[in-house]
Amino acid sequence: MKVIVVGAGVGGTSAGIALQRLGHEVVIYDQMRENRPVGAALSLWPNGVKVLNWLGLGEEVAALGGDMADMVYLDGHTGETMCDFSLAPVTAQTGQKPYPVARADLQALLMERFGLDGIHLGKRLTDVSDDGTTVTATFADGTTDTADMLIGADGARSIVRAYVQPDGAPPIEREYSGYTNLNGLVPVSETIGRATAWTTYVAEGKRAAVMPIAGDRFYFWFDIPQPSGLPYERGDLTPLLEAFGDWAPGVQELLSAIDPATSLNRVEIWDITPFDTWTKGRVAILGDAAHNTAPDIGQGACSALEDAFALGIAFATNTLDVADTLRRYAAMRVERAGELVLRARKRGWETHAFDPAVTDAWYESLRGTDGAGIIRGIVGNIEDSPVNLGGGLLLG
């Protein structure tokens, strides 16, 4: 069977590899002209790492991942330690260590494993048609390709998502999450945070955080609650200095370490209220096209990887026809993926002082905690993953 995948991001390339491993002919198209992912890094929690292990990439991903052994929260103003605890229970309960990784490094690994000769860049999708036997993709340059199935992994502004919605349905709109994220990479520095810890400074509904990745680097990110559409000039540190200029010494060290010319990204955070129509005939969606989410629980990329796993399992085990198998893939994913979007939305409300009393209560809960509640939340996002195959957790 020939498969067209639209989108060469984490979801599209991992789905392509999964289908290749089943013996299908897969071709990937993407409108980007080179591998320049949005965002410096991402969190691979055990559910996401397990999918990559299943795809045969376990050793390579472990080499890209940072040694994130602990979690630390600090008061943003004073630098006082609010809590400091091990993440070892996450690994023990789920059977896999989590890894923060540089997004470009992971993207390059996935593209190379899929095969660069099968990935066509600079190809913007403009139309999809399905005659019941084959699917045709039309691109902005006038070219077309035809296959037995098409997977839309074409991101938050997906063309394929619009195609699979019922006729006459209102358009699905992205919703602003209320804050902007600025992120990038800096060298590890113990004055910012421990080299083996995810360290987060919190105050005023804002966050400044670092996570270790390979190469003695920190992935850093700042959250600033603010309206959407504010003017911004690429590489400008001014918004960060204005928002965090009077914060603790560790944050000042982080601000000083940023080289805006080489590693500073600014992203407005949007999501999409969950919806349940992911397929139409021989066409389906996955990743951000299906469940665009805020990053507040770190499950965006992991959820896309779960899509790839479910798609692969569906095509390995079902044989009626393509449309039936795609419906079974969606049935495995719609409810769980939507639940993660809503959990992230709820978490963002708690952390960004949209209700100050709620955020103040969260800050108070962090002071002196042994981390058991936070661990339960992290594991709770993982335990129902399809990659666990119903195996649940090992608690003892």
Side-chain angles (χ1 to χ4, degrees):
M1 180 174 70
K2 180 179 176 181
V3 182
I4 293 171
V5 176
V6 182
V10 170
T13 50
S14 58
I17 294 168
L19 293 169
Q20 277 182 334
R21 286 162 63 88
L22 293 172
H24 300 300
E25 176 191 354
V26 186
V27 60
I28 296 177
Y29 294 95
D30 198 293
Q31 65 181 350
M32 67 178 177
R33 298 191 177 277
E34 58 181 311
N35 177 22
R36 297 186 64 181
V38 176
L42 50 84
S43 303
L44 287 179
W45 291 101
N47 51 324
V49 179
K50 286 182 178 184
V51 176
L52 293 164
N53 294 343
W54 176 72
L55 292 175
L57 296 166
E59 291 185 5
E60 294 92 333
V61 171
L64 295 180
D67 181 15
M68 190 173 70
D70 306 309
M71 179 176 282
V72 179
Y73 278 94
L74 306 175
D75 184 290
H77 290 143
T78 67
E80 170 195 1
T81 298
M82 302 169 78
C83 58
D84 185 340
F85 56 89
S86 172
L87 288 171
V90 174
T91 300
Q93 292 180 42
T94 64
Q96 173 60 56
K97 185 180 177 68
Y99 298 121
V101 297
R103 187 180 288 267
D105 292 347
L106 178 62
Q107 191 67 52
L109 171 63
L110 290 167
M111 292 173 74
E112 289 167 7
R113 180 57 58 91
F114 175 83
L116 295 177
D117 57 345
I119 299 174
H120 303 278
L121 303 182
K123 304 286 283 188
R124 181 171 62 85
L125 183 75
T126 58
D127 188 55
V128 177
S129 61
D130 180 354
D131 66 8
T133 302
T134 58
V135 181
T136 299
T138 301
F139 300 95
D141 61 5
T143 61
T144 63
D145 195 4
T146 299
D148 301 287
M149 179 175 78
L150 184 145
I151 300 297
D154 51 338
R157 295 180 175 86
S158 171
I159 296 293
V160 185
R161 179 176 62 230
Y163 171 81
V164 301
Q165 297 312 300
D167 292 342
I172 293 173
E173 303 288 353
R174 299 165 71 229
E175 300 174 47
Y176 184 52
S177 298
Y179 69 96
T180 298
N181 176 279
L182 292 97
N183 62 77
L185 304 174
V186 295
V188 164
S189 169
E190 293 281 340
T191 59
I192 299 171
R194 200 158 61 241
T196 56
W198 173 5
T199 301
T200 307
Y201 296 80
V202 295
E204 305 167 356
K206 296 179 288 189
R207 296 184 292 182
V210 292
M211 306 173 82
I213 65 170
D216 293 320
R217 295 172 293 172
F218 276 145
Y219 165 49
F220 71 82
W221 49 266
F222 296 84
D223 285 348
I224 307 174
Q226 59 185 197
S228 64
L230 296 179
Y232 178 75
E233 183 175 344
R234 182 174 177 82
D236 184 8
L237 275 173
T238 303
L240 287 178
L241 297 175
E242 291 177 347
F244 298 94
D246 61 351
W247 276 38
V251 178
Q252 301 313 305
E253 180 73 16
L254 173 56
L255 291 169
S256 297
I258 297 171
D259 180 353
T262 60
S263 190
L264 180 62
N265 311 293
R266 180 182 183 273
V267 184
E268 290 187 347
I269 303 302
W270 297 69
D271 70 6
I272 292 175
T273 296
F275 58 97
D276 58 10
T277 304
W278 286 24
T279 73
K280 183 177 184 179
R282 293 171 171 267
V283 179
I285 53 176
L286 61 72
D288 280 350
H291 44 77
N292 187 205
T293 184
D296 292 273
I297 61 171
Q299 282 289 329
C302 293
S303 196
L305 287 164
E306 288 186 358
D307 293 343
F309 177 82
L311 187 70
I313 292 295
F315 275 91
T317 56
N318 296 285
T319 60
L320 293 184
D321 57 45
V322 169
D324 174 80
T325 301
L326 289 177
R327 288 194 298 269
R328 295 177 190 277
Y329 147 72
M332 282 190 270
R333 294 296 300 137
V334 167
E335 183 176 355
R336 171 168 164 78
E339 175 63 24
L340 291 177
V341 172
L342 296 179
R343 289 183 194 180
R345 188 178 284 185
K346 180 179 180 181
R347 176 70 167 161
W349 181 266
E350 178 182 52
T351 58
H352 292 105
F354 302 129
D355 183 336
V358 170
T359 302
D360 287 344
W362 176 57
Y363 291 161
E364 191 58 34
S365 75
L366 293 174
R367 297 187 184 280
T369 182
D370 63 2
I374 296 172
I375 295 293
R376 281 195 299 273
I378 294 171
V379 171
N381 295 328
I382 298 165
E383 61 183 337
D384 292 328
S385 170
V387 78
N388 292 327
L389 296 176
L393 307 174
L394 296 181
L395 302 176

